[in-house]
Amino acid sequence: MNAQIEIQIILSLVAIACAIPGVFLVLRKMSLISDAISHSILPGIVVGFFITQDLASPLLILMATLTGVVTVVLVEYIQKTGLVKEDTAIGLVFPSLFSIGVILISRNAGDVHLDVDAVLLGEVAFAPFDRWMWNETDMGPKSLWMMGTVLLLILTLLLLFYKELKVATFDAGLAASMGFVPMAIHYGLMTVASITTVGAFDAIGAVLVVAFMIVPAACIYLLTDNLKKLLIYSSVLAVVCSLVGYWFASVWDTSIAGTIASVLGLVFFIIYLTAPGKGYFSQWYKEKQQKTEVALLVFLLHLANHDEEQERNINHLQEHINWGAQRAKKVLKLANQNNMIAIENDIISLTNKGLDFTKQAIAYISDNKNSELEGVKQRFFLFRG
Amino acid sequence: MKQKIAIAVDDLTVAYNYKPVLWDIDLQIPEGVLMAIVGPNGAGKSTLLKSILNIIKPLAGSVSVYGKSYKKQRSLVAYVPQKGSVDWDFPTTALDVVMMGTYGALGWMKRPGINEKKQALEALEKVGMLPFQNRQISQLSGGQQQRIFLARALVQNAAIYFMDEPFQGVDATTEKAIIQILKELRKAGKTVVVVHHDLQTVPEYFDWVTFLNVKKIATGPVADIFNDDNLTKTYGINYKTSIVQ
């Protein structure tokens, strides 16, 4: 296997291993905790490295994972005091732990081959050089094995506890009443997020782990309303972005992890703009349509309220409802097209259909709780486009 | 007639940050009643439900379900939390939410199958939501969301149902439909406990009532204890049932 392929396999493993717990972090509105974990594992990594001198050793992973879980516990403890809100608690905990790591590294900089840059930014390009030799046999890069193990662990846990994760994330109260112990599930997820971060920092750096966890989930969240699809497509998107980013980085000779994270950011921006339903353009269009619908309703209501002919003259429409000529024309056209109005000698009057619609629409607006008026909502859509 | 006791609460005290929310509550809920828990905001109504359901750890006291601890009787109990306590933008469908009602009986690690789906579809039909089974839950109206929650509780096929403000933010039609189903549950011998806000409807909807305001004020049949005296004790101001009704 050549180094390029090895790097791409490692990146794909990292991508999926991050995307899966990331989905649950996003759904639980805990995205920031991944940022906290990614920084505060530093002291764990440093101490582990002093002891083992090996970034892929299980002891180091264990210690760093523990630091990650400790971060979560501390954040929650501070939050529970009620003195500060969650974001402040996060801001209090992780810089403290992170700075302990920085001091440890700078105190011992001469003795160890570990620096803050390596931990924060990682360098997957070096991953193929650090190989696992077993009885003189080359078993491949250590980080490939490590990430493979982490991913296998994540997939196993996901398959076993999918149902529990889902119910505890959606409705912790129900989960608790059924005996699923949401607290245990919460800390399980936090532990998995920590293990993933620790496993991935060597390849892509602790900080960019956050991008791998949050961005794919945030992208697909705009596109689907199915949890399984959210998990699968987030993983696929994460892998595709990793590979695309890798090749851009190779061509441009830039940081691999940095380029991948940029690709992820760009993809999110595109999806945010174009996502059907939740995206920017879609929302903008919907708002515009709603404006037109309201205008139409105002117009119809005006007609229903006034018997006087001068109030209903097509040429005086503008001054009476106080609209610009274009808007008035548009609304008039829309109402006419849908047979809501009839025009005779420049006098506009409501047709029976128009009258009926106006009545229902008013009833719906004044009591939008009535489920029997659900049909009116649908008929509003008739006017779109 | 001596009724069996479904839920017994003994000397229950619950505190948040050492401030008591529930104080020395003794409460017995007989089997087969449709009971309202009423009281002002902050009276501890939801907390009482959550303590009975072991979601909150009490500072003192105990709860038993048919004479045994809640943990042993979990399968007998269904719970409908406040609608506002969950994120309705969660990526899931109406059917899927109702299926969650079967998770408790399945236990850890077992997956729902065809049988569970069948139960969920039946429950959806009962609450009149079958046509909406594949609708994303954020696309449902407030009343429809509450019906989904009720269907999820029905799927749990329990003996005791706890509902936290099921009529909050729902339309009149849904309120009628829900109370209809709750009355059917009582007829089938189930016990239903509802945290309720609208005092006007207490005599019409319920046959049992508990007045709560940190302490238990009174509990018993609506016909006997739903009166000016207890309302005033609970709400502090001079309440008159004549005005309320």
Side-chain angles (χ1 to χ4, degrees):
Chain A
M1 229 185 333
N2 75 28
Q4 279 197 334
I5 292 176
E6 281 174 357
I7 291 172
Q8 290 179 66
I9 294 175
I10 293 170
L11 283 172
S12 302
L13 295 176
V14 171
I16 303 172
C18 289
I20 291 172
V23 163
F24 289 101
L25 292 178
V26 168
L27 288 178
R28 287 165 166 255
K29 301 177 176 58
M30 298 183 64
S31 308
L32 262 186
I33 207 82
S34 68
D35 192 25
I37 290 174
S38 68
H39 281 83
S40 55
I41 57 170
L42 185 63
I45 291 172
V46 176
V47 174
F49 189 73
F50 288 161
I51 299 170
T52 62
Q53 298 291 316
D54 179 4
L55 279 178
S57 97
L59 181 68
L60 178 142
I61 294 171
L62 185 75
M63 291 189 73
T65 302
L66 267 177
T67 334
V69 177
V70 166
T71 312
V72 178
V73 174
L74 281 176
V75 167
E76 279 163 7
Y77 178 78
I78 294 177
Q79 200 188 337
K80 245 182 224 155
T81 61
L83 299 172
V84 295
K85 296 267 181 283
E86 189 189 8
D87 52 347
T88 314
I90 291 176
L92 284 167
V93 172
F94 85 78
S96 323
L97 287 168
F98 180 66
S99 49
I100 293 173
V102 173
I103 291 172
L104 284 174
I105 289 180
S106 57
R107 274 284 291 161
N108 304 279
D111 312 328
V112 295
H113 299 288
L114 181 74
D115 56 62
V116 177
D117 279 4
V119 175
L120 288 185
L121 302 175
E123 192 41 273
V124 73
F126 296 151
F129 298 121
D130 191 10
R131 305 190 81 81
W132 184 26
M133 303 301 281
W134 196 57
N135 284 344
E136 316 255 315
T137 319
D138 178 12
M139 305 295 288
K142 276 183 191 166
S143 47
L144 197 156
W145 282 95
M146 184 159 69
M147 279 325 292
T149 315
V150 170
L151 180 59
L152 199 67
L153 176 78
I154 289 174
L155 289 175
T156 312
L157 288 172
L158 180 70
L159 287 175
L160 288 178
F161 298 111
Y162 175 74
K163 169 179 112 242
E164 288 78 4
L165 263 167
K166 185 165 75 175
V167 68
T169 302
F170 174 63
D171 191 341
L174 180 78
S177 77
M178 287 175 162
F180 288 127
V181 207
M183 262 328 221
I185 293 168
H186 169 73
Y187 282 112
L189 180 63
M190 290 301 117
T191 309
V192 167
S194 299
I195 294 175
T196 310
T197 310
V198 176
F201 87 89
D202 193 20
I204 57 168
V207 174
L208 290 177
V209 168
V210 182
F212 277 70
M213 283 194 174
I214 306 309
V215 184
C219 287
I220 305 298
Y221 184 70
L222 296 178
L223 297 174
T224 180
D225 40 32
N226 177 314
L227 181 56
K228 275 182 194 154
K229 283 183 188 160
L230 182 57
L231 285 162
I232 294 168
Y233 295 149
S234 297
S235 305
V236 172
L237 181 70
V239 171
V240 170
C241 287
S242 300
L243 300 183
V244 170
Y246 171 75
W247 284 104
F248 272 119
S250 304
V251 173
W252 293 337
D253 194 20
T254 51
S255 149
I256 295 171
T259 313
I260 296 173
S262 305
V263 170
L264 280 167
L266 189 69
V267 167
F268 176 78
F269 184 63
I270 294 169
I271 292 180
Y272 161 69
L273 288 180
T274 59
K278 292 182 192 165
Y280 177 81
F281 290 136
S282 181
Q283 288 289 339
W284 174 78
Y285 179 74
K286 213 191 277 168
E287 263 168 42
K288 213 182 112 186
Q289 289 303 308
Q290 267 166 357
K291 240 185 211 165
T292 314
E293 275 167 17
V294 172
L296 177 73
L297 201 59
V298 169
F299 172 55
L300 294 176
L301 191 61
H302 176 80
L303 293 176
N305 276 345
H306 291 282
D307 289 332
E308 315 91 288
E309 290 210 337
Q310 74 266 25
E311 289 273 358
R312 295 192 281 126
N313 191 305
I314 196 163
N315 299 312
H316 300 301
L317 188 62
Q318 280 169 250
E319 49 197 277
H320 281 296
I321 320 189
N322 200 11
W323 281 344
Q326 225 176 349
R327 195 163 182 206
K329 230 183 236 166
K330 195 172 159 191
V331 171
L332 197 67
K333 201 177 139 200
L334 195 61
N336 210 4
Q337 270 174 358
N338 286 285
N339 297 323
M340 297 275 176
I341 52 168
I343 306 170
E344 209 173 308
N345 299 329
D346 282 353
I347 302 298
I348 313 162
S349 48
L350 281 175
T351 60
N352 282 340
K353 186 186 169 196
L355 202 63
D356 186 44
F357 175 80
T358 312
K359 272 188 196 153
Q360 283 195 54
I362 305 244
Y364 176 71
I365 286 167
S366 57
D367 176 22
N368 63 4
K369 281 180 179 174
N370 196 331
S371 54
E372 277 166 20
L373 286 170
E374 200 66 17
V376 179
K377 249 197 204 164
Q378 297 300 323
R379 285 179 48 195
F380 261 99
F381 287 91
L382 268 184
F383 298 99
R384 292 191 173 160
Chain B
M1 183 179 81
K2 178 108 172 75
Q3 269 173 305
K4 247 171 130 182
I5 299 301
I7 301 280
V9 177
D10 292 311
D11 304 325
L12 185 80
T13 298
V14 178
Y16 292 134
N17 292 329
Y18 309 108
K19 184 178 175 280
V21 185
L22 291 173
W23 209 333
D24 203 28
I25 306 286
D26 281 299
L27 178 65
Q28 298 196 320
I29 307 174
E31 184 180 50
V33 298
L34 176 48
M35 183 179 97
I37 302 178
V38 298
N41 288 330
K45 304 184 293 289
S46 298
T47 307
L48 178 61
L49 284 203
K50 286 180 188 164
S51 325
I52 293 175
L53 294 161
N54 261 28
I55 299 172
I56 294 176
K57 260 214 166 91
L59 195 64
S62 65
V63 174
S64 66
V65 180
Y66 282 112
K68 289 182 193 155
S69 76
Y70 174 79
K71 273 184 191 170
K72 286 187 184 141
Q73 306 280 51
R74 219 171 251 144
S75 60
L76 298 178
V77 176
Y79 172 46
V80 179
Q82 275 184 30
K83 195 162 66 68
S85 68
V86 307
D87 174 14
W88 290 93
D89 284 326
F90 193 85
T92 189
T93 59
L95 175 63
D96 205 36
V97 170
V98 178
M99 293 267 278
M100 287 181 192
T102 66
Y103 288 6
L106 285 168
W108 286 90
M109 292 197 276
K110 276 198 208 86
R111 299 284 193 108
I114 301 167
N115 211 7
E116 281 73 25
K117 189 174 172 181
K118 214 182 102 206
Q119 292 170 32
L121 288 173
E122 278 170 17
L124 275 168
E125 180 150 38
K126 231 177 259 174
V127 299
M129 287 293 292
L130 201 55
F132 298 92
Q133 53 168 302
N134 293 319
R135 190 75 77 85
Q136 209 273 323
I137 51 172
S138 66
Q139 307 291 320
L140 299 168
S141 72
Q144 291 172 330
Q145 290 174 343
Q146 196 65 60
R147 284 171 191 235
I148 293 296
F149 260 16
L150 178 62
R152 189 178 71 179
L154 293 177
V155 160
Q156 288 185 260
N157 199 13
I160 308 167
Y161 291 80
F162 290 99
M163 308 185 79
D164 203 341
E165 304 211 16
F167 305 120
Q168 199 182 39
V170 308
D171 54 274
T173 325
T174 300
E175 182 160 334
K176 292 237 161 61
I178 292 177
I179 198 67
Q180 190 58 41
I181 290 170
L182 298 189
K183 284 181 173 171
E184 277 166 26
L185 286 173
R186 181 188 50 189
K187 247 184 228 156
K190 318 272 190 183
T191 310
V192 185
V193 178
V194 178
V195 170
H196 193 57
H197 247 305
D198 185 6
L199 293 170
Q200 283 186 48
T201 51
V202 170
E204 185 193 335
Y205 291 174
F206 301 95
D207 60 2
W208 209 264
V209 64
T210 293
F211 289 94
L212 188 74
N213 191 355
V214 184
K215 291 180 173 187
K216 184 192 76 183
I217 313 292
T219 185
V222 172
D224 298 347
I225 68 156
F226 193 74
N227 54 35
D228 297 356
D229 190 30
N230 282 326
L231 280 167
T232 307
K233 273 189 201 155
T234 309
Y235 289 86
I237 11 171
N238 235 340
Y239 253 96
K240 292 264 190 295
T241 39
S242 52
I243 300 172
V244 169
Q245 288 164 20

